[in-house]
Structure formats: structure tokens, C-alpha cells
Amino acid sequence: QVQLVQSGTEVKKPGASVKVSCKSSGYTFSSYGIGWVRQAPGQGLEWMGWISPYNGNTNYAQSFQGRVTMTIDTTTSTADMELRSLTSDDTAVYYCARVRAGGWFDPWGHGTLVTVSS
Amino acid sequence: DIQMTQSPSTLSASVGDRVTISCRASQSISGSLAWYQQKPGKAPNLLIYKASSLESGVPSRFSGSGSGTEFTLTISSLQPDDFATYYCQQYYTYATFGQGTKLEIK
């Protein structure tokens, strides 16, 4: 079955960077994009961006431009998301998800908790 | 940027009720809308895509409708497992989520 498995919980200090990994299985990796969505504690879902495994093209949400980098490794079917210059406002669960057809997300990874604290 | 506004933010209902959640886009998104269900501590789960297409494996009591700027998610007869938070998402231009609707037990 289609599965996205994410890397584990991270604790970072303000100003640091974090990289979250997402390994896909059960489908042809190069045929679907990977999107990243985050959810702060008790809050809603926030789209961060997505990447095409076909050509590596990315689109980032305006609020993350210049601070986020999404990469892909088709040899290992893994997508990474790096977020830099962390503040406490970046404390959230970060999800990766397969991007289907026009742009909806299915399935989702289990999420990675990133805590930013001094 | 396209803004998505859901209403209500919280909805109290009973098992067996018919409930409707609304989602409004700040500009026309044609039929480029998805609905998700999220339970506490879990990742969102796709229910509906292309505004009205039911995802495989999702119970038929869930349905979606609308186009342009106005969309609706309907649950025809609430089951205990349906109490959760629901989000709409547009994918007409990049992606934006609504703020969520929490469906609570009355």
C-alpha cells in the first residue's frame, strides 16, 4: 500500500535549521509530487510548498520563501524539507503528503513534531 | 492569494443528524476543492476531491457539492466515528486550507 514515513521528533534552538525527511513506498515515486503542510499546536493546516520528483521544480508559499528548501532523491524515493532561521512560531507538526493529479493530498505521512525552544 | 473561509468554526450535533459544513473561496476556484477529516493526534484523511468526487473507501454518507466560490460538505447521518475536525483545501492556485470546522457531540 502507499505509505509515507517521516523522520522523528526534533528539538531545535531559535536560529537553527531543521530537516525533515519523508520516504515513500508503494507507488511510482516519480509520478507524483510531494507536498509539505504544517500544523501549529491547536491550529489549522498551513501549506508550505511542494516539489515535483519528475524535474525537481518547487513552489513555495509566500510566507516561507527564502527560508525553506525542498529537495528530492528519486533513487531512495525520499523528499526532504529544510526550514532555516527557526523561531518559536515554527513549533508545529510537519506533514508530507503525496500530491495527486490536480493538487489534493493523499495519503499523508504520520507527521514530525518540531519543537523550537531555547 | 486565494483565501478559504469555513463556517461554522464549531458545530454541535447528535448521532443520526444531517450536517453541512460550508467553505467559501475569495475568488473562483472552479471545482478545485478537496475535503479532509482530521482526528486528534492523526494526519488528515482525504474524503472528497474535485469538489464532489468521493475518495475510495470513504463512506457514502459523505458528499460534496459546489463550484466557483461556494462549496459544501454534507454528512447525511452522523456516526460516532465522524466527530472530528474538517478542512477544505483549494488547489486552483497552489494550495490553501480553510481554518477548519470542529464537529462536536451535542
Side-chain angles (χ1 to χ4, degrees):
Chain A
Q1 76 281 23
V2 177
Q3 222 176 353
L4 281 70
V5 177
Q6 299 184 221
S7 50
T9 297
E10 301 268 9
V11 179
K12 296 293 183 180
K13 294 197 181 302
S17 299
V18 68
K19 181 177 280 192
V20 179
S21 293
C22 171
K23 184 171 176 61
S24 300
S25 61
Y27 69 99
T28 302
F29 183 68
S30 58
S31 296
Y32 298 85
I34 295 290
W36 291 89
V37 175
R38 77 176 184 180
Q39 186 169 37
Q43 303 301 308
L45 303 170
E46 181 179 22
W47 177 72
M48 300 180 67
W50 47 35
I51 183 167
S52 165
Y54 177 73
N55 54 19
N57 283 356
T58 55
N59 291 111
Y60 300 138
Q62 185 86 4
S63 53
F64 296 99
Q65 289 273 3
R67 207 162 67 90
V68 69
T69 301
M70 296 175 187
T71 56
I72 215 95
D73 183 345
T74 55
T75 64
T76 59
S77 299
T78 300
D80 291 334
M81 185 282 299
E82 181 182 41
L83 188 62
R84 300 176 291 278
S85 303
L86 294 169
T87 72
S88 56
D89 290 342
D90 295 313
T91 293
V93 175
Y94 289 76
Y95 294 101
C96 63
R98 186 178 68 165
V99 182
R100 280 176 51 188
W104 60 92
F105 300 106
D106 176 70
W108 295 57
H110 52 83
T112 296
L113 174 62
V114 175
T115 301
V116 183
S117 174
S118 55
Chain B
D1 289 6
I2 298 175
Q3 310 301 319
M4 305 300 293
T5 304
Q6 288 182 233
S7 59
S9 296
T10 306
L11 179 58
S12 297
S14 302
V15 172
D17 284 352
R18 177 185 180 91
V19 299
T20 298
I21 298 170
S22 296
C23 179
R24 174 177 292 177
S26 59
Q27 66 186 72
S28 177
I29 59 169
S30 187
S32 302
L33 188 97
W35 289 97
Y36 302 88
Q37 177 192 68
Q38 186 180 34
K39 296 182 179 179
K42 300 293 186 181
N45 184 52
L46 176 70
L47 300 174
I48 302 283
Y49 59 95
K50 292 183 184 177
S52 61
S53 294
L54 189 68
E55 172 66 0
S56 176
V58 174
S60 59
R61 63 182 179 271
F62 290 92
S63 64
S65 64
S67 67
T69 61
E70 301 285 343
F71 300 87
T72 298
L73 174 70
T74 299
I75 309 173
S76 60
S77 179
L78 269 176
Q79 299 303 300
D81 191 50
D82 299 338
F83 293 95
T85 300
Y86 293 84
Y87 293 94
C88 62
Q89 176 229 334
Q90 68 82 16
Y91 49 89
Y92 186 78
T93 303
Y94 300 131
T96 317
F97 291 90
Q99 81 277 17
T101 295
K102 185 175 183 179
L103 181 52
E104 298 180 329
I105 300 175
K106 185 184 286 184

